[in-house]
Amino acid sequence: MTRKWRFEILLLLLVIFENPDRAPAQANPSKKLPSVVILATGGTIAGAAPTGTQASYTSGAVTIDAMLAAVPGIKDIANIKGEQISNVGSQDMTFEIMLTLAKRINVLLSQNDVDGIVVTHGTDTMEETAFFLNLVVKSEKPVVLVGSMRPSTALSADGPLNLFNAVGVAVDPNAKGRGVLVVMNDWIHGAHSLTKTSTTAVQTFMSPLRGLVGICNYGKNDFFNTPPWKHTTGSEFDIAGISRMPRVDILYVYADMSPDLIDASTANGAKGIVIAGVGNGNMNKASLEAAERAVKKGVVVVRSSRVATGSVGRNVEVNDDEMNFVASDELNPQKARILLALALLKPRSTSEIQNLFYIY
Ligand code: ASP
């Protein structure tokens, strides 16, 4: 080695020693970690109770930093930044917060230095926010929602491992292109199919009709299913210039339902009504007539079902063609409401809206 070379190598080592940021990537392995932004919205995962065995607690009491501090090893799998979008129990989730969240995700995912997003969220309405994001996020990069059934202070709190697994999915290149995902209790769900099934059990989320997208365990993932519906980059819905969503109500059908609930919804300005019908999206005669009245006033009526699984078929028990109704296909009432609200952002015929329910 010549003197000149020896001098230059010495100089390079000095520069690296003085300023580790300028070192080649290999000299600092943490530089190679993928980058994930955690967007916190509140929920039980950020909840706290005075004791570890108390059932009552306050949602959204814990900050992102405190949540991360409870998850050993999480910083070994990703470079993580956190932002607080809201701090609510998800019973108080609104379209306004969903729009803020979706717009922020679209900005972050357009940046080269962000590889994936994790959204911490209450479990009560997580399926609605997941499905909304599934339709309006414009990126193939992973977006993963996560929550917990037990507050951070509980015995056997489930939040820390759920959060670790969610970050593990968000950094996995195999998670790309499967739409928005939900990670809870080692299971990876697609936004279209999952639903909350237990008020208290840790294993609350199920994807009854279509099954899981995959499973995860301590950051190791196995994907075995790709949801067939359009989503994210394949979706036509664009909320870029939208600051307000149209009112869409859900009305629950029961034996001897009072039809004036449908009239009240129309009178109060609903642009769409989702019927959480009995069986195959059905309702009593008086309510069918009220729903027809609503349609004649320009309200779009979608028939979904209060039954936990199965699809609502067009013209099966109700003549949708004659009454100008839409059948929700596989979407449960709360997700049918999200799709209908997005559909109503621009003028569309009933048959166009029906088609949306088959492809999203
Ligand atoms: N009420 C809570 C929420 O949805 C429940 C939970 O997170 O599990 O925010």
Side-chain angles (χ1 to χ4, degrees):
M1 197 180 283
T2 64
R3 276 180 84 130
K4 179 170 173 284
W5 271 108
R6 241 181 279 145
F7 174 74
E8 285 195 356
I9 287 170
L10 190 68
L11 202 65
L12 180 67
L13 285 174
L14 264 175
V15 167
I16 291 169
F17 189 72
E18 290 267 299
N19 183 0
D21 279 339
R22 294 182 64 187
Q26 267 163 344
N28 183 358
S30 71
K31 279 279 172 226
K32 293 173 77 180
L33 288 178
S35 295
V36 168
V37 180
I38 298 184
L39 300 176
T41 67
T44 299
I45 193 166
T51 71
T53 51
Q54 193 166 315
S56 61
Y57 61 92
T58 313
S59 270
V62 176
T63 61
I64 306 176
D65 286 342
M67 265 191 270
L68 288 175
V71 192
I74 200 165
K75 295 204 168 137
D76 299 336
I77 58 171
N79 289 320
I80 298 175
K81 284 191 191 133
E83 288 178 24
Q84 199 81 40
I85 296 291
S86 63
N87 214 351
V88 295
S90 72
Q91 59 277 14
D92 286 321
M93 184 50 58
T94 59
F95 269 137
E96 199 184 335
I97 302 174
M98 286 189 212
L99 284 167
T100 305
L101 178 64
K103 287 175 187 173
R104 186 67 189 135
I105 291 175
N106 280 334
V107 169
L108 288 166
L109 290 185
S110 68
Q111 294 172 200
N112 290 334
D113 60 350
V114 178
D115 298 297
I117 300 285
V118 168
V119 177
T120 58
H121 197 291
T123 60
D124 291 350
T125 61
M126 188 184 289
E127 61 196 270
E128 286 153 78
T129 302
F131 190 54
F132 181 78
L133 296 175
N134 197 48
L135 300 179
V136 302
V137 163
K138 300 288 173 208
S139 173
E140 294 257 300
K141 294 179 190 171
V143 175
V144 183
L145 276 77
V146 65
S148 75
M149 288 300 286
R150 297 177 181 148
S152 62
T153 45
L155 274 183
S156 305
D158 52 331
L161 182 54
N162 284 346
L163 188 54
F164 186 87
N165 279 334
V167 172
V169 170
V171 299
D172 190 333
N174 284 326
K176 281 189 189 164
R178 295 178 199 266
V180 170
L181 302 170
V182 169
V183 166
M184 286 278 295
N185 211 29
D186 289 4
W187 285 5
I188 309 170
H189 302 265
H192 180 280
S193 299
L194 93 150
T195 191
K196 185 172 180 177
T197 65
S198 167
T199 53
T200 56
V202 165
Q203 189 58 282
T204 186
F205 281 104
M206 301 281 168
S207 291
L209 273 180
R210 299 288 176 155
L212 299 175
V213 169
I215 49 177
C216 54
N217 189 246
Y218 297 105
K220 290 216 172 71
N221 312 314
D222 186 4
F223 292 93
F224 42 75
N225 196 354
T226 302
W229 297 275
K230 284 187 166 203
H231 57 76
T232 57
T233 50
S235 165
E236 66 207 76
F237 302 109
D238 188 0
I239 42 96
I242 303 295
S243 54
R244 214 157 164 253
M245 298 291 290
R247 172 169 168 175
V248 175
D249 292 342
I250 299 175
L251 296 177
Y252 197 92
V253 182
Y254 46 89
D256 211 11
M257 178 188 185
S258 313
D260 53 8
L261 295 175
I262 297 176
D263 297 322
S265 184
T266 309
N268 281 291
K271 301 286 176 264
I273 296 174
V274 174
I275 302 288
V278 289
N280 203 329
N282 219 334
M283 61 203 115
N284 53 349
K285 281 202 181 65
S287 297
L288 275 173
E289 284 164 19
E292 265 193 296
R293 281 197 292 281
V295 169
K296 291 202 172 108
K297 289 190 172 144
V299 176
V300 178
V301 173
V302 174
R303 294 186 306 105
S304 181
S305 178
R306 68 180 204 178
V307 181
T309 86
S311 60
V312 170
R314 194 168 173 81
N315 296 326
V316 176
E317 280 192 87
V318 174
N319 192 331
D320 294 303
D321 289 347
E322 211 174 274
M323 297 180 165
N324 213 10
F325 296 156
V326 172
S328 75
D329 198 47
E330 288 185 22
L331 290 180
N332 66 20
Q334 53 273 34
K335 287 191 213 165
R337 174 178 175 266
I338 299 287
L339 179 55
L340 181 54
L342 286 166
L344 291 170
L345 286 175
K346 72 172 210 195
R348 286 182 164 95
S349 68
T350 313
S351 64
E352 282 169 337
I353 295 176
Q354 179 64 73
N355 199 40
L356 298 176
F357 278 81
Y358 293 140
I359 60 179
Y360 290 98

